[in-house]
């Protein structure tokens, strides 16, 4: 099946710094990708829809200036957490629809820890 | 917007028994209902999905049923095995390529 990768798998940063997370569709093209955040023992919460060649669409309550999304190509979307704070520590997961049935394929996730 | 509720939050069954997880959704426009299995520290993995034009779908030990009128859908796992232990999420969407709204999750434990 289709594969979605994320890089890095885990990152630790200091408070106030910015962190970039990459999401790649390895064997298919994705005009749309989705970014989710998951806190410990909770469900996945949709943050935003990443659109290739246009602005991302953010869910209510998600700060677009804090979580910058860039979908520069048909296989890559990036999420940059700007001025990270400890409360941004979470598991960030991306997904992309692919294949003949547009099934959503999820990446393995990125564990962000802000000290 | 869409809201998906999932029950139970935790479920413990004896190995070999069946497990059932139930979900309800609010938006009648939703037409795609996937189920995901998530193991610790990993991304969710699609295990089965069903579309609104189908009432039931089965794949080996896993089956999903959908009641569009009642806006209910359920996951059934038969002959449970230790490797079935994980967190399971139901979800709803307006199409498989659209954003997915997740339920709150069910932590399934299989007792040996």
């Amino acid at each position: 099946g289709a594969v979605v990768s994320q890089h890095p798998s885990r990152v630790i940063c200091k408070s106030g710094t910015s962190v970039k997370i990459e999401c790649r569709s390895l064997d298919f093209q994705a005009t749309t990708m989705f970014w989710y955040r998951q806190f410990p023992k909770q469900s996945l919460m949709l943050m935003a829809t990443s659109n290739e060649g246009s602005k991302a669409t953010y869910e209510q309550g998600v700060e677009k200036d804090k979580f910058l999304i860039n979908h520069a190509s048909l296989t890559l979307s990036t999420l940059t957490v700007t001025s990270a704070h400890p409360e941004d520590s979470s598991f960030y997961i991306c997904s992309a629809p692919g294949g003949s049935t547009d099934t959503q394929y999820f990446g393995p996730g990125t564990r962000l820890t802000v000290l | 917007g869409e809201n998906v509720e999932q029950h139970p939050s935790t479920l413990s069954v004896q190995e070999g028994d069946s497990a059932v997880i139930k979900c309800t959704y609010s938006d009648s426009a939703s037409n795609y209902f996937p189920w995901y299995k998530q193991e610790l520290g990993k991304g969710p993995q699609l295990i089965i999905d069903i579309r609104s034009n189908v009432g039931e779908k089965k794949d080996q030990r896993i089956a999903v049923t959908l009641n569009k009128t009642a806006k209910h859908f359920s996951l059934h796992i038969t002959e449970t095995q230790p490797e079935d232990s994980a967190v399971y999420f139901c979800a709803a969407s307006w199409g498989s390529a659209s954003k997915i709204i997740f339920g709150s999750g069910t932590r399934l434990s299989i007792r040996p």
Side-chain angles (χ1 to χ4, degrees):
Chain A
V3 176
V4 173
S5 71
Q6 284 184 239
H7 178 79
S9 58
R10 55 178 62 234
V11 56
I12 300 174
C13 70
K14 293 182 179 180
S15 185
T17 61
S18 295
V19 175
K20 180 184 286 187
I21 303 170
E22 293 185 348
C23 176
R24 293 183 184 272
S25 55
L26 296 186
D27 50 0
F28 65 100
Q29 295 182 334
T31 57
T32 303
M33 292 183 176
F34 301 94
W35 285 97
Y36 296 82
R37 180 167 53 181
Q38 184 179 32
F39 291 109
K41 297 188 177 182
Q42 294 189 22
S43 186
L44 285 78
M45 297 301 295
L46 180 67
M47 298 176 67
T49 302
S50 174
N51 304 300
E52 188 270 334
S54 64
K55 292 182 179 180
T57 305
Y58 291 82
E59 295 299 303
Q60 191 173 8
V62 178
E63 300 175 60
K64 62 180 180 180
D65 294 330
K66 179 170 182 63
F67 298 99
L68 302 179
I69 292 174
N70 187 309
H71 196 147
S73 77
L74 288 172
T75 59
L76 173 64
S77 174
T78 60
L79 169 68
T80 300
V81 183
T82 63
S83 186
H85 291 284
E87 56 265 32
D88 298 323
S89 297
S90 188
F91 195 47
Y92 292 86
I93 306 170
C94 69
S95 74
S100 59
T101 58
D102 276 339
T103 300
Q104 289 269 358
Y105 294 96
F106 282 80
T110 296
R111 173 77 58 195
L112 170 63
T113 302
V114 184
L115 301 176
Chain B
E2 175 65 278
N3 182 51
V4 179
E5 295 191 357
Q6 182 172 346
H7 301 280
S9 57
T10 60
L11 179 60
S12 178
V13 301
Q14 193 75 34
E15 182 178 351
D17 288 351
S18 297
V20 180
I21 302 171
K22 298 182 178 182
C23 291
T24 61
Y25 62 99
S26 62
D27 190 346
S28 57
S30 291
N31 58 14
Y32 176 66
F33 306 92
W35 286 86
Y36 295 90
K37 176 182 181 182
Q38 187 179 32
E39 297 178 338
L40 190 63
K42 298 183 179 180
Q45 178 185 11
L46 178 70
I47 56 172
I48 196 168
D49 57 11
I50 190 167
R51 298 177 191 271
S52 59
N53 58 346
V54 176
E56 184 174 358
K57 183 177 179 180
K58 189 174 182 179
D59 182 5
Q60 299 183 3
R61 298 187 295 109
I62 296 173
V64 58
T65 59
L66 171 65
N67 182 329
K68 283 180 57 179
T69 303
K71 298 181 188 170
H72 289 175
F73 57 117
S74 301
L75 177 72
H76 304 251
I77 305 174
T78 58
E79 301 174 22
T80 53
Q81 301 169 3
E83 53 265 37
D84 294 330
S85 294
V87 179
Y88 291 80
F89 292 98
C90 63
S93 175
W94 297 311
S96 57
S98 300
K99 63 182 181 181
I100 291 175
I101 305 302
F102 283 82
S104 53
T106 296
R107 183 171 300 276
L108 175 63
S109 300
I110 308 301
R111 304 191 302 271

